[in-house]
Amino acid sequence: MLFWLPTQLLLSTVLFSKPADAWFRVACTTPLVQVRLDPIVSPGTSPSNHVHTVHGANKFASNSTYDTLRTSTCSNCLVSQDASNYWFPKLYFHDPSTGLFEPVADGGLLVYYENRGNGDVSNGGPGLKAFPAGLKMISGSPVRRSRKYTPGEGSQEELAERAVEWECLRYTNTTGYNSDTNGTVGFPTTDCEAGLNARIHMPACWDGVNLDSANHTSHTAFLSDLDNGACPSTHPVPLMKLLYEVTWDVHSMASRWDPSKDAWPFVYSTGDPTGYSWHADFQNGWDTTVLQNAIDKCNNPNDQTGVGITEACSFLTVVNSTIADECKISPAVNETIDGQLDKLPGCNPLQSGPQDATLRSDSNCDLSTPPPGTTKSAGYSRFGYVQEGILYLAFTLVGFSVLLSL
């Protein structure tokens, strides 16, 4: 599997997907843990709304902070100075014959650390900045079930939508599928023999003040062209741009469904059969001095640092993948998330949209699917969200809002 390969080989053989240019890449092995926790969206809450696949430092917890992450003793990611956590929703196979849900394996996580934007020295800018201690970022939304904006419009909401990508990796003599050219119809409709490759771009601009925000998005922003361009004036600090890449082994289930008569049988743990709820979280745990040194001094076009070879940067220590893969923690939530399941963990009925899904809590779980046009993106503002697992209704009464927790 991918995560057993040496880092350089891994980086050049990520199936058939197009490699991304980067200063360096952080490869992560099998997950640190898979659990319903989210220290950004639901800090201190256990469980959170849906199952996440978590990578990174072993001090991950519902209330983890930069300081606690820095005390971690191991990480399943291969750069020892990086004590960050990276997480995203788990993918399940929804058996069309039995109606049961089963987890889908993936080949680990690859995080591209990219030098992008007008702030980069190579583009004539003043230089990118290391993530500040305590920074938290998200991209994507678990309630989304369709695209709402015209591609290329360039608003922050449209850029956030464009940041969510996937590609059906097929053999060379077979037509493929990707979210750029087929973005209005969601997930693929065929088997992906070489895997479903899911990618997500993270914001690369910071307001310079806030390490988080109420909706977990407004303190950061996307580059004007998503993968390059300028930071908005409201977010003037240019950061390294992260790109997550995960390849799910959907082909292992190919014999159990028929594309000629069955709908695409894979769903995210959010209750999403469309693919649009693909999202990712990042909680910084880097040694910030090391990261800044890597940014400033490990992008030399005359040596291997200029082509993204992580080992070539003297400030970064690449850990043996076998050793990194031993870094695991026990799930903090006592529930079954693997094997054959009658329902997705938590309260996550399938919601196909196209309207935003409704987040539901364990305490008052209704697994019925809402009628079309009735669901709301509860707890969400623009392309961000306030808190998983808790539904809110806001009523404006005589000039002020009353917030009711349901």
Side-chain angles (χ1 to χ4, degrees):
M1 295 184 70
L2 288 177
F3 47 81
W4 295 117
L5 298 174
T7 303
Q8 285 127 312
L9 184 58
L10 171 66
L11 303 180
S12 61
T13 57
V14 184
L15 299 175
F16 302 111
S17 60
K18 179 182 176 182
D21 295 329
W23 269 343
F24 62 89
R25 302 163 177 89
V26 175
C28 305
T29 66
T30 52
L32 174 77
V33 67
Q34 298 186 80
V35 65
R36 281 201 295 147
L37 292 183
D38 192 327
I40 295 180
V41 175
S42 302
T45 300
S46 179
S48 62
N49 176 263
H50 53 271
V51 177
H52 287 115
T53 296
V54 183
H55 293 271
N58 69 340
K59 286 295 185 179
F60 175 83
S62 67
N63 59 351
S64 54
T65 66
Y66 178 79
D67 290 336
T68 60
L69 290 181
R70 291 302 304 162
T71 66
S72 297
T73 56
C74 69
S75 171
N76 77 303
C77 300
L78 304 190
V79 176
S80 64
Q81 292 85 1
D82 178 17
S84 304
N85 283 129
Y86 312 84
W87 62 94
F88 47 85
K90 187 176 173 71
L91 188 70
Y92 286 87
F93 173 69
H94 188 204
D95 193 321
S97 298
T98 66
L100 300 177
F101 297 89
E102 300 174 38
V104 180
D106 67 79
L109 169 68
L110 191 58
V111 183
Y112 296 85
Y113 276 71
E114 299 176 318
N115 52 320
R116 293 289 197 268
N118 296 351
D120 181 30
V121 170
S122 64
N123 292 328
L128 304 180
K129 299 301 181 183
F131 303 124
L135 183 70
K136 301 174 182 178
M137 293 193 296
I138 65 171
S139 183
S141 165
V143 303
R144 293 303 292 273
R145 297 295 186 269
S146 65
R147 288 188 171 170
K148 301 179 180 181
Y149 300 93
T150 302
E153 170 196 307
S155 67
Q156 282 295 311
E157 289 85 354
E158 186 272 327
L159 290 164
E161 198 169 82
R162 206 191 318 167
V164 176
E165 300 178 348
W166 56 88
E167 186 164 1
C168 184
L169 303 176
R170 309 207 68 184
Y171 296 132
T172 54
N173 63 344
T174 307
T175 302
Y177 173 101
N178 67 68
S179 57
D180 287 338
T181 57
N182 300 85
T184 60
V185 295
F187 268 146
T189 57
T190 67
D191 179 34
C192 305
E193 294 90 344
L196 174 70
N197 181 256
R199 301 180 297 274
I200 191 162
H201 301 260
M202 301 298 284
C205 306
W206 177 45
D207 67 9
V209 178
N210 301 291
L211 300 175
D212 196 3
S213 51
N215 64 0
H216 311 294
T217 60
S218 61
H219 63 299
T220 60
F222 293 94
L223 292 168
S224 59
D225 295 325
L226 183 63
D227 200 38
N228 225 316
C231 285
S233 59
T234 53
H235 297 75
V237 181
L239 306 173
M240 293 199 80
K241 178 178 165 292
L242 301 183
L243 173 69
Y244 291 18
E245 185 173 54
V246 181
T247 301
W248 305 95
D249 184 17
V250 296
H251 183 59
S252 63
M253 307 292 188
S255 64
R256 298 172 58 186
W257 70 289
D258 183 352
S260 68
K261 65 178 183 180
D262 296 323
W264 172 260
F266 299 94
V267 302
Y268 283 124
S269 56
T270 53
D272 174 24
T274 71
Y276 291 111
S277 76
W278 176 235
H279 63 280
D281 298 59
F282 170 75
Q283 185 170 14
N284 183 32
W286 272 95
D287 178 324
T288 55
T289 299
V290 167
L291 183 57
Q292 192 64 60
N293 281 332
I295 291 171
D296 294 339
K297 302 172 184 177
C298 289
N299 188 29
N300 187 342
N302 299 317
D303 61 33
Q304 288 187 314
T305 65
V307 292
I309 302 302
T310 309
E311 292 89 340
C313 180
S314 62
F315 299 98
L316 304 177
T317 304
V318 176
V319 179
N320 179 277
S321 60
T322 302
I323 295 174
D325 196 51
E326 295 173 354
C327 188
K328 300 287 180 280
I329 62 175
S330 299
V333 180
N334 184 19
E335 65 179 346
T336 301
I337 62 170
D338 292 320
Q340 294 187 328
L341 307 174
D342 293 331
K343 68 179 187 68
L344 294 171
C347 189
N348 291 288
L350 298 184
Q351 300 183 64
S352 299
Q355 67 281 348
D356 286 353
T358 299
L359 291 181
R360 309 184 186 197
S361 65
D362 287 15
S363 60
N364 187 23
C365 184
D366 177 6
L367 290 176
S368 63
T369 300
T374 63
T375 55
K376 304 291 184 182
S377 56
Y380 281 71
S381 171
R382 297 174 62 197
F383 48 89
Y385 47 102
V386 176
Q387 185 170 5
E388 290 178 354
I390 299 177
L391 307 184
Y392 294 96
L393 296 176
F395 298 87
T396 302
L397 301 173
V398 197
F400 64 91
S401 294
V402 177
L403 194 64
L404 299 180
S405 177
L406 298 184

